[in-house]
């Protein structure tokens, strides 16, 4: 499913836009002008990567120090051990669209527990 | 360099081992650890692990299937470093020879004199410490935490959530005044009293009551605080005794340069045991932060592999976090350098705050309580202005 996120013109380089889907997804506009979408929630603990430290093609979780590669979703630093999902991005007529991954997300234990305990 | 021994198997040691492989070292890699466990994460020990929300498997620092092609010598302590034979002696009699060494032996919790052998008295540093304390807290009762620093405060917060009756005793007039300054230390430590946890400040501990098991904490002003469980959280000292006589320069830990090099060729030091030179401050600092143990080994390993001093990148301002009573506390920089503090967002009374510390108008530190987004922006600005 393609979801309109925001206008490219409204997302300056170095900034992120959080898309309020469940679980949330973040769109990053790098300093080099590329646009990527990954799951917004750090796989270690409930924190929004849109609030993180963006450097090159990596974002560091705002709470701890785990760094995720925007291109692959891979994590290269503890405490997180699992990657985040990446989502396809299409920019058309200055609008950013995200095609959500159909893989299962890697959510942190606190959120997984909440989802498992709640209604399906 | 054909072989490297990393002495210490916690976050700093693991980060060094990872950096070695990442930077192309493909020789023999030996990791020595005094605990029997594979590298594990310590921050949850006073929080999610202590409360039971996380189990031991959740603490593992290595990713599933991660293989650094290292030899792990665990459950044995290093007892000496012989620079002439390039070897580390181990408590079990073995010797490990290597071309290069990474010292990552960390720090050990300070105990209260006279508390040895008294049941119910705990320190919290290792997984085994946390297991023992978790089992005791499960029985409930009255907990007295000696020391209102971050470990003590996190234990108090966790125990409060588990339903214990908690008292925190702090010798200084204001807890956390060292890391945060007195004004913000008072605000953060106000979280205790917000929740009905007693906070006794400005009074030292004279001793502990009880014969076989602790039953009270005796204060210097004559008061006695009844206790079923006592946690001593009065800081840590670097684990470097084993290096005495090795010829390595020691001063509040292993003295090292801004690139991690020590006074001995082919030996670098990282983590809580390392007293790094801070070129910006113009003196050495030993910083016991998780983030430093994660980040610094990269520079130290580069130094080791280059066979000498390398020009280190400018380190980011030190950063740490704490979770207490459901509030996320984040701090970066050096509070002691500040001549003013301003609250820039939120309100201190609501325990929801972003405060910027400045010296001569220039930011030197930033504190956030439940403000991760604003905190990260302020932290980036701090790094930009201090680099």
């Amino acid at each position: 499913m393609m979801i309109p996120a925001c206008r490219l013109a409204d997302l300056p380089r170095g900034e992120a836009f959080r898309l309020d889907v469940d679980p949330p997804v973040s769109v990053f506009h790098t300093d080099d002008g590329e646009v990527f979408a990954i799951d917004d929630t750090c796989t270690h603990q409930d924190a929004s990567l849109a609030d993180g430290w963006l450097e090159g093609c990596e974002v560091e979780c705002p709470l701890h120090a785990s760094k995720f590669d925007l291109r692959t979703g891979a994590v290269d630093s503890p405490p997180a051990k699992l990657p985040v999902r990446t989502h396809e991005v299409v920019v058309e007529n200055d609008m950013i669209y995200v095609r959500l991954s159909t893989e299962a997300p890697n959510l942190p234990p606190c959120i997984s527990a909440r989802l498992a305990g709640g209604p399906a | 360099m054909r072989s490297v021994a990393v002495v210490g198997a916690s976050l700093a040691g693991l980060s060094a081992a990872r950096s070695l492989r990442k930077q192309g070292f493909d020789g023999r890699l030996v990791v020595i650890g005094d605990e029997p466990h594979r590298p594990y994460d310590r921050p949850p020990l006073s929080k999610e692990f202590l409360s039971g929300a996380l189990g031991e498997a959740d603490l593992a620092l290595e990713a599933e299937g991660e293989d650094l092609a290292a030899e792990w010598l665990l459950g044995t302590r290093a007892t000496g470093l012989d620079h002439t034979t390039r070897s580390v002696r181990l408590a079990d009699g073995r010797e490990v020879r290597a071309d290069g060494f990474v010292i990552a032996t960390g720090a050990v919790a300070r105990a209260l004199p006279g508390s040895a052998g008294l049941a119910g008295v705990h320190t919290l540093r290792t997984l085994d410490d946390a297991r023992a304390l978790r089992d005791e807290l499960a029985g409930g009762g009255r907990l007295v935490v000696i020391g209102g620093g971050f470990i003590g405060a996190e234990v108090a917060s966790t125990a409060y959530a588990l339903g214990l009756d908690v008292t925190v005793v702090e010798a200084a007039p204001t807890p956390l005044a060292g890391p945060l300054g007195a004004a913000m230390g008072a605000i953060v430590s106000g979280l205790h009293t917000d929740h009905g946890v007693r906070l006794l400040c400005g009074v030292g501990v004279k001793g502990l009551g009880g014969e076989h098991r602790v039953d009270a904490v005796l204060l210097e002003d004559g008061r006695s605080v009844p206790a079923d469980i006592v946690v001593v959280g009065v800081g840590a000292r670097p684990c470097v005794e084993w290096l005495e006589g090795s010829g390595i320069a020691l001063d509040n830990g292993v003295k090292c340069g801004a690139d991690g090099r020590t006074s001995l060729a082919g030996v670098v030091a990282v983590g809580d045991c390392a007293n790094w030179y801070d070129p910006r401050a113009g003196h050495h600092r030993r910083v016991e932060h998780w983030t430093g143990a994660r980040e610094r080994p990269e520079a130290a390993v580069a130094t080791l592999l280059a066979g000498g001093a390398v020009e280190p990148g400018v380190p980011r301002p030190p950063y740490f976090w704490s979770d207490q009573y459901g509030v996320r506390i984040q701090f970066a920089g050096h509070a002691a350098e500040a001549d003013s503090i301003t609250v820039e967002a939120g309100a201190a009374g609501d325990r929801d705050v972003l405060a910027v510390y400045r010296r001569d108008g220039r930011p030197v530190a930033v504190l956030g309580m439940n403000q991760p987004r604003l905190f990260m922006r302020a932290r980036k600005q701090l790094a930009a202005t201090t680099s």
Side-chain angles (χ1 to χ4, degrees), chain B residues 142-155:
Chain B
R142 294 163 301 185
L143 169 71
V144 178
V145 178
I146 300 174
F150 285 107
I151 295 280
E154 288 175 357
V155 170

Side-chain angles (χ1 to χ4, degrees), chain A residues 43-111:
Chain A
T43 60
H44 166 246
Q45 205 168 24
D46 188 7
S48 167
L49 296 177
D51 294 342
W53 186 311
L54 181 62
E55 203 165 290
C57 275
E58 270 193 336
V59 63
E60 178 183 320
C61 171
L63 287 190
H64 304 146
S66 290
K67 289 181 186 169
F68 296 90
D69 189 318
L70 300 179
R71 295 162 296 195
T72 62
V75 62
D76 88 332
S77 306
K81 284 171 280 186
L82 296 172
V84 289
R85 294 183 305 176
T86 56
H87 307 278
E88 188 189 339
V89 171
V90 176
V91 180
E92 249 177 43
N93 300 325
D94 190 48
M95 192 70 194
I96 301 171
Y97 295 89
V98 175
R99 190 192 303 275
L100 293 181
S101 163
T102 53
E103 290 170 37
N106 290 320
L107 294 171
C110 51
I111 293 190

Side-chain angles (χ1 to χ4, degrees), chain B residues 184-205:
Chain B
M184 291 297 145
I187 287 161
V188 172
S189 59
L191 287 167
H192 295 303
T193 44
D194 289 354
H195 292 82
V197 167
R198 281 179 298 280
L199 177 60
L200 307 177
C201 293
V203 60
V205 170

Side-chain angles (χ1 to χ4, degrees), chain B residues 303-361:
Chain B
T303 303
L304 188 69
L305 294 180
V310 296
E311 193 63 45
V314 178
R316 296 194 292 181
Y319 164 65
F320 64 86
W321 73 87
S322 178
D323 295 316
Q324 299 169 28
Y325 303 100
V327 175
R328 273 188 180 148
I329 299 153
Q330 296 176 280
F331 188 87
H334 298 284
E337 294 175 2
D339 57 24
S340 74
I341 304 175
T342 47
V343 171
E344 315 233 324
D350 298 340
R351 317 297 183 209
D352 163 20
V353 71
L354 184 85
V356 177
Y357 297 58
R358 291 188 175 83
R359 181 181 190 86
D360 301 330

